[in-house]
Amino acid sequence: MSLKIRLARGGAKKRPFYSIVVSDSRSPRDGNFIEKIGTYNPMLPRDHAERITLKEERARHWLSVGAQPTDRVALFLGRANIIELPKVRETPKKSAPKAKAQERAKLAAAAAGSEG
């Protein structure tokens, strides 16, 4: 059985509240889970003490038996010094205009510069 430590969504519409759970990777996001090891409330300010709560001992236990955290949960565990903080991915560059559009923009800028 492949175990995941992931977020299970709860709360009302437009008011998310997440449980940090250990579950089988094949089960649905909000379906059956093995154990609840914490909570995450994104509605609270970043510096609030109850934004993320974790049972560190249980998290370490599940990691030791092979449970894999999702990206977001790995970030939480890294900030709590339970695992090494994961590397932050670079954000993708926005696509630049195609060659003809760049050429037209250069010509327009040159024309505006020579007029002024």
Side-chain angles (χ1 to χ4, degrees):
M1 171 172 28
S2 176
L3 296 175
K4 283 277 190 191
I5 302 176
R6 63 182 177 199
L7 299 174
R9 193 180 194 281
K13 185 184 349 179
K14 310 268 185 185
R15 306 280 304 167
F17 185 85
Y18 297 93
S19 297
I20 302 171
V21 298
V22 178
S23 65
D24 184 358
S25 63
R26 296 169 293 188
S27 65
R29 178 191 70 182
D30 301 333
N32 290 345
F33 58 88
I34 299 168
E35 183 178 354
K36 179 178 170 184
I37 62 171
T39 60
Y40 168 55
N41 187 353
M43 301 301 288
L44 295 175
R46 287 187 183 268
D47 57 347
H48 197 280
E50 294 176 6
R51 182 176 166 98
I52 300 170
T53 60
L54 275 171
K55 297 178 186 171
E56 289 188 31
E57 183 181 317
R58 296 307 295 162
R60 289 181 199 279
H61 165 75
W62 286 109
L63 289 167
S64 71
V65 296
Q68 295 294 314
T70 58
D71 292 341
R72 178 63 52 180
V73 173
L75 193 63
F76 296 157
L77 295 174
R79 288 182 182 154
N81 293 325
I82 296 174
I83 61 171
E84 185 178 325
L85 200 59
K87 304 243 186 300
V88 179
R89 293 187 197 155
E90 291 183 26
T91 56
K93 276 190 348 185
K94 290 190 175 182
S95 61
K98 301 294 182 199
K100 284 188 177 180
Q102 287 180 355
E103 200 173 309
R104 280 194 296 269
K106 284 180 188 175
L107 290 173
S114 64
E115 290 176 11

